[in-house]
Amino acid sequence: MTYRANVFKVLFRMDDHLFRIKQAEKMHNIWLSMLWLIALSIGVYAIMASKGMGTTILSQGAVWLSAHEYEAVKFWFVIGRTGFGFIFAVCVIFIPSLILHYITKIPYQKLLYMQLVVLLLLLLERIIWIPLTLYAGLDWYASPLSLGLIASYLTDVSWVIYFFGAISLIQFGVIWFQMTFIKRLSTVNAHWIWTSIILLHLCQWALAATLASVDDNMLGRWFR
Amino acid sequence: MRKKWLVVGIILFISLNTCLILFDNDDHIDRLVFVDKWDKVFEEDLYEYLEKDSVFDYIHEHNVYFDELSGDFEQFLVEEGSKVSVGDALYTYDVRDIAEAKASLEEKAQQLKDDIVTVEAALTKINMTTVENDTISVLLPDEEQTVEIPQDTSEANMLKTQFIIEQEKELERLQARLAAVKADTASLDREEETITVTSPYDGTVIKISESLEPPLMTIAEPQLQARGILTEQDRMIVNLDMPVQLRLTAQNVTLDGTISAMNDQPEQVELEDSNHYSFFVETEALEQLDVPILPGYHADATITLKESLSASTIEASWLFDQSIWKMTSAGTVESQKVERGIQMGSSVEIIDEVEPGTWVAIDVSDQFQEGAQFITPLKLGKIKWHDIGQTGNWKRHVVAGLLAR
C-alpha cells in the first residue's frame, strides 16, 4: 500500500501512522513535504536573523559604523543565516537517516520521512526561541526548556554551557520519537537503537557547542 | 499514569529554570538586550530664556524747579512736547528783589566759570599726554634673542579722543549757560523786571506743572531705553549684562541689547502682594533705525539667562531615572548617570563626559541589564542598496551567519 506523507498528523495519531508506514511499500509525497520543510527552515532562520537574533557577534564595534554600514553588515549576516537554514534542513533530513539506515536496515525513504518530522520539531524549538530572546533577553542556550541555565550556574566554561544548552525538552521529545519510530519499524536490538540514537545526538550537541564557540576574534583571524 | 508524571516533571523543570533566571543575583546567566530603537547624542546650542514685557522710556529725566521766593511767575515759554536745547527760554518771572536776583545770578555765573575752568584744565592736561608707544622686549628661552612686541595703542588713542569730545561738549554747554546768565544779568542792569530762565539741558519737555507745583517742569534727554518688571523669582536669576532681544511687534523691529541695570528696590515694598523690580535694557543706537522709536512703544523682551553652545544634547525622553542607556563599543549596554543642564523644549543638555555621537538606546524595557550584549533588528530602510556590494568584509559576515547556531 501507499502511504501519503503528512508530517503534522504523524505526531497526533502516531500509532496509526506508524502502523501504516510500516506496511507501506511506497511513500508518496515525500519530496513535496521535504521541499516545503526546507523552505520553512530557510524562512524561520531568515526571520530570526532579521530580528537580530545571533547578531551579538556583530555588536562589538558597531557604534563606530555608520547607519548604512551597520545595516549592511547585518544584511550579509542574514544572507549567511538563510544559507545556514538551508544547510541545517538538508543535514537534519539526510545525514541521521543515512546513518540509521546502515544500522537498522529500515528503508531509507522511511527514515527520511522520520527526519522530516524531526526537522519540524526542531523548527518548532527555534520558533519558541524568538519570543524568548526578543522579550526575555535569553539566548538559545539560556532557554528555560534546556539544561543551559543549570550549566550556567555550575560552570563558566562556554563550551560546556553551550553543550548543555543544546539539550532541551524538545530534544528529548525528538529522541523519544525516533526511538518509537525505529523500534516499530525494525527488529534490531533495542539497546543498539538506544545507543546509536544517543550517540547521534551527543555528536549533534557537541557540534552545536563548537559552532557556538566561534566568536568574533576567530572570525577576525580567519579573515585577516 | 506515566503521562501525568511526565507532565508534572516537565512543569517542575521549567519552573526550576525560571527561578534560576529570576533570582540570578550573581549574573551567572548571559543576558541579551533587544534594542529596537536607538539614536545618537547630538550637539546643539541651548539657551534658557525669560520672556518679559517692556516699554521704551527716557533714560534721563531732569526736573526744573521754581523758587517762589525769587519772584512772581509770569508765563511758560514752552509746551509739553517742545524740544529744547541748552539755552532755550523755558519760562519768565517778575523779579521781586532786583538786588537779590542779581546776587543769585552772580553766584550762578561764578559757579559756571569755575566749572568751565575745571573742564578747560582737564582738556589741556589730556591734550598734553601722548599715548606712549611702548614696545615690550621679551627675552626668548634660549637667552640669545629678544623679540620686540609693539603695544597696540589704537584703543588708548580712541579713549583719549572720546574723552576729549565729551569734555568739549560739556564746555559748550557750560559756556551756553554762562551766556544765558550774563544775558539775564544784563537785563536786570537795564532795570528790566522780567527774568527769562533758560534750559540747562537738551531734550524734550515732557511735563509742565501748570499749577506751579514742584517740579515746575521735567525735561527728558532724548536717549531711550527699554524697561520692564521682574518678579521676585525673576530678580534672583537675572544678572547684569545678560543679552536681551527686544521685538517691537507693532513696528516690526527687532533690536539686540543687554541688561544695563536693575533696581535693587521694588517700587514699593509689599508684604501681602508680590514685589516688582524694574530692569533696564540698553540697546544699539536707535537713531540708526529706519523706524523712529518713540517713548511708550512696547516690546517683547527675551532675556537669555543661560546659554550653552555646542552642548552634548539628548531628547528628554531618552532619560530613565537620571541615566541614559549607552551602547558601548564592546557591544554591550551600559547605564550612565548624567547631570542635566539647560532644557530647551524637549532637548536636554547633559553635563558629563558623554561625547556627541554616542549611541543611546531609546526604547528601554525591563529586559535591560547592565553589561548585557545588545542585538538589533535589521532595518532595511537604512541600507543604501547601490553601495551594498562594497561593504568591507561581507564574506566574513556571511560566514558569521553560516556558523552561528
Side-chain angles (χ1 to χ4, degrees):
Chain A
M1 71 183 243
T2 332
Y3 171 80
R4 209 178 197 87
N6 191 323
V7 194
F8 281 113
K9 294 231 183 103
V10 175
L11 293 169
F12 295 110
R13 292 183 158 289
M14 204 167 309
D15 277 339
D16 190 34
H17 280 255
L18 287 182
F19 179 73
R20 287 195 283 143
I21 291 172
K22 182 165 183 172
Q23 303 288 51
E25 288 129 18
K26 215 166 89 149
M27 301 283 280
H28 197 67
N29 247 357
I30 300 255
W31 302 108
L32 194 62
S33 303
M34 196 180 295
L35 278 175
W36 82 254
L37 268 170
I38 292 179
L40 185 65
S41 175
I42 293 177
V44 168
Y45 273 96
I47 289 176
M48 289 203 300
S50 306
K51 281 292 177 191
M53 290 167 67
T55 61
T56 51
I57 202 173
L58 305 174
S59 295
Q60 200 175 17
V63 296
W64 305 123
L65 302 174
S66 71
H68 159 77
E69 282 168 355
Y70 184 41
E71 298 307 318
V73 162
K74 281 191 272 179
F75 172 76
W76 289 116
F77 180 83
V78 169
I79 300 281
R81 221 57 187 112
T82 315
F84 178 83
F86 174 77
I87 296 173
F88 174 73
V90 164
C91 290
V92 166
I93 295 173
F94 290 100
I95 297 178
S97 38
L98 197 61
I99 297 172
L100 288 169
H101 172 68
Y102 279 122
I103 298 175
T104 65
K105 305 288 185 262
I106 298 173
Y108 190 44
Q109 261 207 335
K110 298 189 184 175
L111 286 173
L112 281 180
Y113 187 66
M114 175 185 78
Q115 284 303 106
L116 288 182
V117 179
V118 168
L119 178 59
L120 185 66
L121 288 172
L122 293 180
L123 290 178
L124 187 68
E125 185 179 27
R126 275 122 190 92
I127 291 174
I128 293 177
W129 289 346
I130 296 179
L132 219 51
T133 308
L134 300 184
Y135 295 117
L138 295 166
D139 215 340
W140 60 266
Y141 55 90
S143 157
L145 297 178
S146 74
L147 293 179
L149 288 168
I150 300 173
S152 302
Y153 267 81
L154 298 175
T155 176
D156 272 337
V157 182
S158 304
W159 196 95
V160 174
I161 296 178
Y162 296 145
F163 180 80
F164 283 102
I167 307 175
S168 72
L169 292 176
I170 296 192
Q171 294 287 317
F172 288 139
V174 166
I175 292 175
W176 172 82
F177 173 74
Q178 286 171 323
M179 277 294 296
T180 319
F181 191 96
I182 293 176
K183 265 212 299 216
R184 275 301 209 97
L185 272 73
S186 163
T187 48
V188 172
N189 193 327
H191 287 293
W192 265 119
I193 304 174
W194 189 219
T195 322
S196 18
I197 292 182
I198 296 290
L199 272 177
L200 207 58
H201 279 265
L202 282 172
C203 290
Q204 283 172 6
W205 297 333
L207 182 63
T210 313
L211 276 182
S213 301
V214 169
D215 66 358
D216 201 50
N217 290 325
M218 277 192 228
L219 279 178
R221 265 179 264 140
W222 296 344
F223 281 88
R224 192 54 53 82
Chain B
M1 189 51 189
R2 259 198 12 208
K3 227 181 177 178
K4 253 194 217 141
W5 283 115
L6 189 64
V7 172
V8 169
I10 291 177
I11 293 177
L12 276 179
F13 179 67
I14 297 182
S15 313
L16 169 66
N17 276 330
T18 314
C19 287
L20 287 180
I21 297 171
L22 293 175
F23 300 121
D24 179 28
N25 292 323
D26 295 321
D27 284 335
H28 285 123
I29 305 174
D30 291 338
R31 299 301 289 264
L32 289 180
V33 166
F34 176 67
V35 179
D36 196 14
K37 281 196 248 168
W38 69 96
D39 208 324
K40 297 195 212 172
V41 173
F42 50 97
E43 261 185 10
E44 204 174 302
D45 293 338
L46 296 173
Y47 304 95
E48 205 174 286
Y49 294 123
L50 179 64
E51 302 273 343
K52 290 267 116 174
D53 293 326
S54 71
V55 71
F56 276 91
D57 200 357
Y58 295 104
I59 303 181
H60 301 292
E61 286 177 12
H62 303 285
N63 289 327
V64 174
Y65 295 93
F66 173 62
D67 187 358
E68 298 268 311
L69 298 175
S70 40
D72 294 322
F73 188 85
E74 204 187 44
Q75 60 171 333
F76 284 107
L77 296 174
V78 289
E79 293 172 328
E80 274 186 11
S82 310
K83 292 227 181 353
V84 293
S85 314
V86 172
D88 287 353
L90 292 179
Y91 64 92
T92 54
Y93 68 93
D94 287 332
V95 174
R96 215 164 275 153
D97 186 335
I98 290 195
E100 201 182 306
K102 243 177 123 167
S104 142
L105 282 176
E106 276 283 324
E107 217 181 297
K108 263 200 215 157
Q110 190 55 49
Q111 180 62 48
L112 285 171
K113 283 187 194 152
D114 288 341
D115 288 342
I116 287 175
V117 164
T118 318
V119 172
E120 282 177 340
L123 271 176
T124 319
K125 188 150 180 218
I126 193 77
N127 272 318
M128 280 202 316
T129 32
T130 44
V131 176
E132 304 266 305
N133 196 338
D134 268 356
T135 327
I136 294 185
S137 299
V138 178
L139 191 62
L140 288 181
D142 61 11
E143 308 211 359
E144 298 275 298
Q145 300 160 296
T146 350
V147 171
E148 312 243 303
I149 304 174
Q151 295 292 79
D152 190 9
T153 55
S154 55
E155 192 179 335
N157 270 323
M158 196 180 77
L159 286 173
K160 175 177 166 186
T161 318
Q162 211 169 0
F163 183 71
I164 292 179
I165 291 176
E166 275 168 22
Q167 293 308 306
E168 283 179 348
K169 251 169 109 171
E170 179 69 10
L171 190 62
E172 252 181 72
R173 267 204 294 269
L174 289 170
Q175 283 168 340
R177 284 167 69 180
L178 185 60
V181 169
K182 285 194 175 149
D184 283 347
T185 317
S187 49
L188 275 184
D189 283 339
R190 291 194 294 274
E191 312 231 318
E192 284 169 27
E193 293 179 342
T194 318
I195 301 249
T196 310
V197 175
T198 56
S199 173
Y201 312 109
D202 285 320
T204 313
V205 177
I206 58 175
K207 190 152 163 273
I208 288 186
S209 174
E210 299 279 340
S211 58
L212 304 185
E213 295 273 325
L216 185 70
M217 6 177 125
T218 315
I219 299 177
E221 288 189 31
Q223 287 79 29
L224 298 177
Q225 66 184 358
R227 67 173 165 79
I229 294 188
L230 300 174
T231 63
E232 205 173 312
Q233 287 79 18
D234 297 336
R235 184 66 182 79
M236 294 192 293
I237 57 179
V238 176
N239 295 322
L240 292 179
D241 292 328
M242 279 185 173
V244 182
Q245 195 191 58
L246 299 168
R247 282 180 314 284
L248 294 94
T249 40
Q251 294 78 22
N252 208 6
V253 170
T254 306
L255 295 168
D256 288 319
T258 56
I259 302 271
S260 55
M262 286 188 294
N263 280 350
D264 288 338
Q265 186 93 353
E267 304 295 311
Q268 195 178 342
V269 178
E270 303 272 4
L271 176 62
E272 302 284 308
D273 247 327
S274 45
N275 282 299
H276 298 126
Y277 301 83
S278 296
F279 71 88
F280 304 95
V281 180
E282 199 178 82
T283 60
E284 57 212 32
L286 295 171
E287 301 83 50
Q288 288 163 5
L289 296 172
D290 302 323
V291 180
I293 307 288
L294 301 177
Y297 279 2
H298 286 88
D300 294 327
T302 305
I303 308 174
T304 304
L305 297 170
K306 283 191 231 176
E307 71 173 28
S308 187
L309 301 176
S310 292
S312 291
T313 318
I314 58 173
E315 295 285 320
S317 56
W318 299 356
L319 280 168
F320 294 91
D321 245 359
Q322 305 306 316
S323 345
I324 52 169
W325 282 95
K326 278 196 325 190
M327 291 158 79
T328 68
S329 56
T332 58
V333 291
E334 218 176 74
S335 155
Q336 174 151 0
K337 215 159 181 213
V338 289
E339 207 188 304
R340 296 169 69 138
I342 300 177
Q343 177 152 1
M344 201 168 87
S346 64
S347 302
V348 176
E349 175 191 12
I350 40 176
I351 310 171
D352 229 41
E353 290 109 33
V354 184
E355 298 280 315
T358 307
W359 290 23
V360 178
I362 298 179
D363 227 348
V364 174
S365 61
D366 292 332
Q367 218 187 70
F368 273 66
Q369 292 218 353
E370 190 78 24
Q373 289 196 300
F374 63 81
I375 56 170
T376 60
L378 181 65
K379 293 188 192 263
L380 291 172
K382 299 216 175 153
I383 296 184
K384 298 186 194 140
W385 292 102
H386 53 272
D387 278 338
I388 193 76
Q390 272 143 21
T391 315
N393 262 333
W394 61 269
K395 287 190 203 146
R396 170 174 167 166
H397 304 301
V398 172
V399 171
L402 278 175
L403 294 181
R405 201 243 172 171

